[in-house]
Amino acid sequence: MSINNLTPEELEAYAEAHGEKKFRGKQLFTFFNKSGRVDLEHSNLPKNFINQIPRVDDAKIFRTYVSKLDDTKKFLFELNDGNLIEGVLMHYKHGYSQCISTQVGCRMGCVFCASTKKGLVRNLTSAEMLRQVYTVEAAYHIKVSNVILMGSGEPMDNYDNVLKFLKLLHHPQGHHTSYRNMTLSTCGVVDGIDKLAREGLPITLAISLHSPYNDLRSDIMPINRKYNLEELIAAAKRYSEATSSRITFEYTLIAGENDTRDHAVALYSLLKGLRAHINLIPLNAIEEYDKGRSTAEAIQSFKKELERLGAEVTIRRELGSDISASCGQLRRNFEGGIL
Ligand code: SAH
């Protein structure tokens, strides 16, 4: 494993094991995580030490797509082994939010999602997740304040690397991002939610719901056949209580599938009693799925119905909608020769 996946303590042990003073470990940690660099030859570490260090994990910006409509930028990153992953940088009033990937591909099989169409290629390392943030910060001389795990991959399916990534990103000697400014989005892996609750870290949890009915949800999201809605909502409640936080529920609106008034009412009753925020996402149609997005009117009425019932709900702003939409579409379009 490459050394930019390590904590300061692990790097101190690494330095000592290579005949160096312990403090070289901390120096490596701040070089990687505070300066956000990997060009060790330009650090002030001893040359004979650097020469013993194998190539470290990286995620280089391979292509950048800049929206003409707003300040959003989408990236394809190239990993050391040539795999491509994608991410998005969004500029809000409060600062920069970056959406990052946790896996190359995905094995969850949601029918509307481009990331999963070719299955899982491999997990990302913690350092490959960190590098997505650090290379973008260096390219634009910015500091990213919010990190969202909503790129390709299911974070709970790469639990250990994701958790270590979040801890490294939080480290006071490194990037020092607060846990509340990190959002982990899951398709509904209940044992992962419970495991994360036990970590005692106030990481913001988002759950991709997309239907208030088990039969429809099982049709569009295979994970529902393993953990049904009742189990999922119970886990969300436990997470909310353990972390004293509100849960975000993502709900992608699919025309004629999950966007009627009945769905809105059922969604409201499902989440009743939970500290919840509902984020409505207009579907980005993909070739392999024969459904389209709900009309603007249907989206508005769905929102209004939820508000009337007393739910907290927003429609996701479609940032950078002119530059190949969401989750896996960038990588797939690029590899398919469309971009
Ligand atoms: N695997 C995690 C995180 C990545 S997906 C999860 O499922 O939550 C991020 C969000 O984008 C999820 O809510 C997902 O369901 C949604 N999504 C995927 N493909 C989409 C599409 N074509 N249109 C709209 N939303 C999509």
Side-chain angles (χ1 to χ4, degrees), residues 72-89:
T72 302
K73 295 175 182 69
K74 299 194 182 178
F75 305 98
L76 275 174
F77 298 96
E78 187 180 29
L79 307 174
N80 288 350
D81 64 2
N83 270 307
L84 297 177
I85 49 163
E86 62 194 77
V88 188
L89 178 70

Side-chain angles (χ1 to χ4, degrees), residues 106 108 110 112-114 149-155 185-187 206-208 210 221 250 252 281-286 316 326-327 329:
C106 183
M108 294 295 123
C110 300
F112 46 80
C113 178
L149 309 190
M150 285 188 196
S152 66
E154 167 51 46
S185 178
T186 177
C187 63
I207 295 177
S208 301
H210 309 330
M221 301 179 74
E250 295 155 271
T252 293
I281 315 170
L283 177 78
N284 285 299
I286 62 165
R316 178 179 295 172
S326 63
C327 204
Q329 285 178 284

Side-chain angles (χ1 to χ4, degrees), residues 3 5-12 25 29 164 168 171:
I3 65 161
N5 286 282
L6 302 181
T7 64
E9 296 71 30
E10 289 167 339
L11 284 166
E12 282 173 355
F29 187 81
K164 190 165 191 189
L168 292 171
H171 202 289

Side-chain angles (χ1 to χ4, degrees), residues 109-114 116-117 219-222 254 286 288-289:
C110 300
V111 293
F112 46 80
C113 178
T116 201
K117 293 300 167 195
D219 281 349
I220 60 175
M221 301 179 74
I254 309 167
I286 62 165
E288 296 90 338
Y289 182 54

